[in-house]
Amino acid sequence: MATILDVAKKAGVSQGTVSNVLNGKGNVSSEKIRAVEEAARELGYTINERAKMLRKGSGNVICVILPTIEFKQYRELYNSIKFCAEQKGVFTELLISNDNAETEIELVQHAQSIMALGVVTISCLKKHENPYQTANLKKVCFVERKPLFASDYYGFNYTKAGSDMAEMILNKQYRDVIVVTGRESFSNESEYLQGFKKVMNQENEYFCNVEYISTDLFRISNSMLHVISQGRKIDSIVVSNAGYAERIIELVKTFIPDHKIDVYSMAQITSLPDHEFISYELNYSRLGKEIAEKLIDTDEETFVDEQHIFENDGIRKWGDEKPKKDTSKTINVLALDGPEAVIIQNLARLYTNHTGINVKVAIFSYEDIYTQFLNAEVLDLYDVIRIDVNWLSWFAGRLLMPLEEIDADITAVFEEYIPALLDKYAYIRGKVYALPITPSVQLLFYRKDLFENTGIKRLYQEKYKEELKIPDSFEKYNQIAEFFTNLDSAEYNVKYGAGVTLGNFGVAASEFLARFFSYKEHLYDENGKIIINNEYGKKAMQELIDGYKNSSGKESRWWTTTAKEFSDGQTAMMITFSNFASEILGVQSKIADKVGCAMVPGGNPIYGGGSLGISKNSKHKKEAMEFIKWLTREPVSSAMAALGSVSPCRKTYDRYDIIRSFPWLELSKECFQLSRTKRTRDEGSSFDEKKFVNIVGAAVKETVMEISDIDVALERAQMLIDMEFNNESE
């Protein structure tokens, strides 16, 4: 095995230089960095992170002690902790106790020996003595099972879970029910049973036979095989643990395949319906995230034992419990081409299965959908219309039905949404015209492997006498883009500094406005007139031209195309809307694990995406209302995000599995509140976005194609804006 000395000899430098290069420290020239990296690659040398951590004399590891990793909810917990920790530069180590107290104590000693930063444990200890305290582990979080001593505890409302599941069993009027739990000595199991039995004892007015089985990791299969082999007509099995439920279902399929048994179980949240059993969902993702944040962000001196009881998500309905078979009605949906349209098409099948109502989705390009909007003003072609947020004010009164006139309680659904969305995506002039479906913002996407490369960072430092950082202004953005465009592409596999979308007037205008809003929060002056022919407009146009010079120069007509080109790995940065970013991770992507995201330069991102409204000419307004409520709320909204779109619902952003796959979603949620971009003084006023972006986009295209210079193009655009928009305010 190669050593640091071997690398130093091969590279012709000192051991100290090798150490500085591999650890990203010290003032080392780009030539020496390149020599060390090449030598390390040839020798197969890698840094032993654990050894490096121990040499420092302080732990940077969270130890996670679980009974087993076989159960999905425990994997969800661990992966959530791991993901959050990695974001903060902390390692995790998975340790399995098999619910054996002696093994757990040995694992505690291991955590002590590596000076763990903290410990997370689903403990099986039954004594009042605290071995974690004896081992001088100051930051320990106990999960699910409360120990017999004072502790920092994280769990759910298990008593309520038991009560809720008993209510469901009684409502279904099952006759023979088996209730399976883990050891009653564990607090979560005893609380669950307490809640279940209380409801059964009080409300079981008809004869329902209930048998209670307490088991564990190793006896579950044997215990249940004995029960199901008796030939009983069991209606339902209620389980306190998804891992147990999975094993029970395997036994039922194997030994009594013709006997239908409904299985209910507590489980982690899923992105799509679970067809194996009926899930009573608990958010282990959020649990893991908050545990990791407390362990990492809290000092030993300020770490306080607390009780953290998280809300149960419970049974999340994907549709009516009894699917309807009447398919006489059809809802027609008008949608914009993009990832979300395909996802809506497929999720609509679930809606049809549950309601019997057919859903047809008509998908049009950006250029063609505007014509369809105009047609929909007088025709009853569509029931549901997906409308761009920036077109909403213009078309709301002309095209859509105020939702309060269909459902007087429509605002009740707003509790699920991110609060910052309502004024932008729902309300127009004081009325609710739409529900948010794909709220998005412009974000900066960049190649992490390039920005974090020691050699590249040194070359940038040598050229510009400053550190390579994520740009916070478009001036820096263009400087970095020029640097990457002129970099040796053969060595670093990058040809272009930036991706620019200028294929049609709409996207070209967005590229200009992204830069304009980095200087000014809104478009209007003190008199309320829209002004782009000013110092900010000229700066924005010049920066766009400079950025275009460091792009591929391809005519990317839509954000989807630019994202796919970025995924090819030859571009260092791009700016696009978050609802199109999933294209970066497509099956052909060469940079799926190398993508970083950040706030757009200037810190004032444009919001985009769209909402769902109901056509005033629809013949099925009530059915259309139920459909858009179903599509924009939990659990369907999280399913859309998990499939590559975005979500308006707060709970989506507590999901480790979704955020891990699409890490930019967390940032986009913050940006909705931070965005201060406004076209007009009164944001709810009627504004013809299509006409406006055509004027601005034409000016951009004229300038980029060198038909006009900046001054002439902006002067012409301003004249048209004055004629079309500013005369109205006089």
Side-chain angles (χ1 to χ4, degrees):
M1 182 181 294
T3 66
I4 194 170
L5 179 60
D6 297 326
V7 175
K9 287 180 178 179
K10 189 169 185 62
V13 298
S14 68
Q15 291 185 56
T17 297
V18 174
S19 179
N20 284 335
V21 171
L22 297 180
N23 289 284
K25 297 180 179 179
N27 187 21
V28 184
S29 70
S30 56
E31 290 80 9
K32 288 183 178 179
I33 290 172
R34 187 178 290 110
V36 170
E37 289 180 338
E38 184 176 342
R41 280 195 298 269
E42 291 182 7
L43 294 171
Y45 180 86
T46 57
I47 300 175
N48 186 320
E49 294 290 351
R50 179 58 53 77
K52 184 173 72 173
M53 178 268 297
L54 290 175
R55 285 196 299 271
K56 291 180 179 179
S58 61
N60 192 36
V61 176
I62 294 175
C63 290
V64 184
I65 302 175
L66 300 178
T68 178
I69 199 62
E70 292 182 34
F71 296 171
K72 288 181 180 178
Q73 70 270 29
Y74 295 158
R75 293 200 296 272
E76 184 85 0
L77 174 68
Y78 173 71
N79 286 330
S80 178
I81 294 169
K82 185 174 185 290
F83 176 75
C84 182
E86 287 176 347
Q87 300 298 102
K88 295 174 177 285
V90 175
F91 299 97
T92 54
E93 182 171 3
L94 176 62
L95 306 170
I96 304 300
S97 70
N98 289 313
D99 266 344
N100 182 291
E102 291 182 1
T103 301
E104 182 176 341
I105 291 173
E106 291 175 0
L107 298 177
V108 171
Q109 293 168 351
H110 170 74
Q112 178 190 30
S113 71
I114 67 167
M115 297 170 288
L117 180 151
V119 177
V120 183
T121 177
I122 298 181
S123 178
C124 62
L125 300 177
K126 299 179 181 179
K127 296 181 179 181
H128 288 81
E129 293 82 9
N130 184 350
Y132 294 87
Q133 187 178 58
T134 303
N136 201 33
L137 294 166
K138 301 288 181 64
K139 298 196 292 185
V140 182
C141 297
F142 289 81
V143 181
E144 280 197 346
R145 305 165 181 173
K146 296 176 185 174
L148 300 176
F149 43 80
S151 66
D152 191 58
Y153 172 75
Y154 288 78
F156 300 95
N157 190 336
Y158 301 104
T159 304
K160 184 178 188 303
S163 300
D164 290 346
M165 294 180 82
E167 292 282 1
M168 286 186 291
I169 295 303
L170 291 174
N171 289 338
K172 290 286 188 177
Q173 297 189 355
Y174 293 114
R175 293 293 180 180
D176 195 353
V177 178
I178 307 294
V179 179
V180 183
T181 66
R183 300 176 195 167
E184 292 186 52
S185 59
F186 297 144
S187 64
N188 60 316
E189 304 288 4
S190 62
E191 290 169 10
Y192 174 84
L193 278 173
Q194 180 183 359
F196 193 96
K197 289 180 177 180
K198 182 178 180 180
V199 170
M200 277 294 174
N201 292 337
Q202 291 177 349
E203 301 182 22
N204 189 5
E205 297 176 356
Y206 68 97
F207 179 74
C208 175
N209 178 57
V210 181
E211 180 180 351
Y212 298 94
I213 296 176
S214 177
T215 185
D216 57 32
L217 292 171
F218 306 102
R219 296 185 296 125
I220 176 64
S221 296
N222 180 263
S223 300
M224 289 309 301
L225 180 60
H226 176 73
V227 172
I228 65 175
S229 64
Q230 294 177 354
R232 289 165 52 181
K233 297 295 182 181
I234 301 168
D235 298 309
S236 175
I237 300 175
V238 184
V239 193
S240 65
N241 183 305
Y244 293 170
E246 291 171 354
R247 293 190 182 180
I248 290 169
I249 289 168
E250 289 176 0
L251 291 171
V252 170
K253 287 181 176 179
T254 302
F255 295 103
I256 49 172
D258 299 326
H259 185 177
K260 184 182 182 304
I261 299 177
D262 293 336
V263 178
Y264 296 78
S265 178
M266 287 199 290
Q268 78 288 346
I269 289 180
T270 56
S271 296
L272 292 171
D274 194 318
H275 299 291
E276 292 294 313
F277 56 82
I278 300 155
S279 298
Y280 184 96
E281 295 181 335
L282 306 174
N283 195 338
Y284 282 87
S285 284
R286 184 183 169 208
L287 195 73
K289 177 184 178 183
E290 297 208 11
I291 290 171
E293 287 177 345
K294 180 169 183 178
L295 288 175
I296 296 168
D297 298 338
T298 308
D299 296 331
E300 288 184 359
E301 294 75 17
T302 57
F303 190 90
V304 179
D305 290 342
E306 299 170 313
Q307 300 291 296
H308 310 265
I309 307 300
F310 288 71
E311 178 186 359
N312 304 347
D313 282 78
I315 302 288
R316 298 191 302 157
K317 293 185 178 181
W318 290 88
D320 295 338
E321 290 190 13
K322 294 181 179 180
K324 300 174 183 177
K325 300 302 181 184
D326 179 16
T327 58
S328 59
K329 292 183 179 178
T330 298
I331 296 173
N332 292 315
V333 181
L334 174 60
L336 177 67
D337 188 18
E340 69 190 70
V342 177
I343 294 169
I344 289 173
Q345 268 187 326
N346 285 280
L347 287 175
R349 297 172 187 171
L350 283 177
Y351 191 76
T352 300
N353 291 339
H354 284 289
T355 65
I357 296 174
N358 292 308
V359 179
K360 293 183 179 179
V361 182
I363 302 173
F364 291 89
S365 68
Y366 176 84
E367 291 86 353
D368 294 339
I369 200 168
Y370 193 83
T371 302
Q372 293 299 311
F373 285 170
L374 297 177
N375 292 338
E377 285 193 66
V378 294
L379 302 176
D380 59 356
L381 295 172
Y382 303 105
D383 301 289
V384 174
I385 296 175
R386 187 278 189 195
I387 189 164
D388 191 271
V389 64
N390 291 313
W391 292 0
L392 189 56
S393 69
W394 181 249
F395 279 109
R398 301 166 57 183
L399 190 61
L400 305 178
M401 188 82 176
L403 299 186
E404 295 105 324
E405 296 182 19
I406 307 172
D407 182 351
D409 298 322
I410 187 60
T411 56
V413 306
F414 291 174
E415 293 181 5
E416 294 191 34
Y417 301 145
I418 299 167
L421 301 179
L422 300 179
D423 288 340
K424 298 178 176 68
Y425 293 83
Y427 282 101
I428 297 295
R429 295 178 286 281
K431 292 184 179 181
V432 179
Y433 276 96
L435 299 182
I437 178 69
T438 53
S440 67
V441 289
Q442 283 185 329
L443 297 174
L444 168 62
F445 293 86
Y446 63 94
R447 288 266 306 275
K448 285 195 300 184
D449 58 320
L450 298 178
F451 275 78
E452 295 171 2
N453 183 283
T454 305
I456 289 176
K457 289 166 70 175
R458 184 60 191 174
L459 287 170
Y460 188 88
Q461 173 77 35
E462 291 173 351
K463 183 171 183 178
Y464 296 105
K465 312 304 178 188
E466 61 187 33
E467 184 180 353
L468 175 61
K469 294 180 179 179
I470 306 305
D472 58 5
S473 70
F474 277 101
E475 181 181 0
K476 290 295 182 186
Y477 181 85
N478 285 341
Q479 178 175 293
I480 294 171
E482 181 182 19
F483 167 76
F484 278 115
T485 300
N486 295 325
L487 200 62
D488 183 355
S489 60
E491 182 174 357
Y492 295 110
N493 191 30
V494 59
K495 289 185 178 179
Y496 313 110
V500 179
T501 311
L502 298 176
N504 61 53
F505 289 162
V507 295
S510 291
E511 290 279 8
F512 169 81
L513 291 173
R515 291 155 175 83
F516 186 95
F517 285 130
S518 72
Y519 292 108
K520 196 170 185 287
E521 292 187 0
H522 45 71
L523 293 173
Y524 54 85
D525 64 8
E526 63 275 8
N527 298 314
K529 293 188 175 183
I530 298 173
I531 306 295
I532 65 168
N533 186 23
N534 53 20
E535 59 176 310
Y536 310 115
K538 292 174 182 178
K539 283 183 180 179
M541 191 69 84
Q542 185 62 60
E543 286 173 341
L544 178 51
I545 293 170
D546 292 343
Y548 181 72
K549 292 175 182 176
N550 293 298
S551 72
S552 67
K554 293 181 180 178
E555 281 275 306
S556 299
R557 295 200 61 76
W558 196 232
W559 307 109
T560 306
T561 309
T562 307
K564 287 180 178 178
E565 289 175 356
F566 182 68
S567 73
D568 192 47
Q570 296 186 338
T571 304
M573 302 179 293
M574 74 161 182
I575 293 172
T576 194
F577 285 95
S578 53
N579 59 327
F580 292 102
S582 61
E583 297 291 341
I584 300 170
L585 308 181
V587 292
Q588 302 298 325
S589 177
K590 297 177 181 178
I591 57 168
D593 59 343
K594 302 171 183 176
V595 180
C597 63
M599 175 71 74
V600 292
N604 188 24
I606 298 175
Y607 56 87
S611 301
L612 294 178
I614 297 174
S615 170
K616 64 181 181 181
N617 297 319
S618 168
K619 294 180 180 179
H620 306 295
K621 291 183 177 67
K622 289 186 178 180
E623 291 80 5
M625 171 65 80
E626 292 306 309
F627 176 68
I628 69 173
K629 285 164 61 177
W630 179 83
L631 197 60
T632 62
R633 300 169 68 190
E634 285 292 290
V636 183
S637 58
S638 285
M640 287 193 64
L643 292 169
S645 184
V646 290
S647 165
C649 292
R650 290 176 287 106
K651 286 188 176 180
T652 301
Y653 301 85
D654 290 330
R655 295 280 304 279
Y656 138 79
D657 58 324
I658 295 174
I659 300 301
R660 179 192 61 176
S661 299
F662 310 108
W664 50 83
L665 290 180
E666 274 193 309
L667 178 58
S668 69
K669 180 188 175 186
E670 297 175 14
C671 288
F672 295 126
Q673 183 66 39
L674 296 173
S675 175
R676 306 174 302 284
T677 61
K678 292 176 67 175
R679 267 63 165 170
T680 61
R681 178 177 289 170
D682 179 7
E683 197 167 28
S685 63
S686 180
F687 182 75
D688 191 344
E689 174 76 8
K690 177 70 171 177
K691 186 175 289 185
F692 173 72
V693 298
N694 280 348
I695 294 171
V696 176
V700 171
K701 300 277 279 187
E702 289 171 19
T703 308
V704 170
M705 292 187 293
E706 299 182 348
I707 297 173
S708 305
D709 63 25
I710 291 175
D711 290 336
V712 171
L714 285 177
E715 184 177 351
R716 184 182 294 116
Q718 187 64 57
M719 178 185 68
L720 294 173
I721 288 171
D722 288 340
M723 293 171 55
E724 298 290 345
F725 297 95
N726 290 336
N727 286 336
E728 298 175 7
S729 61
E730 294 181 351

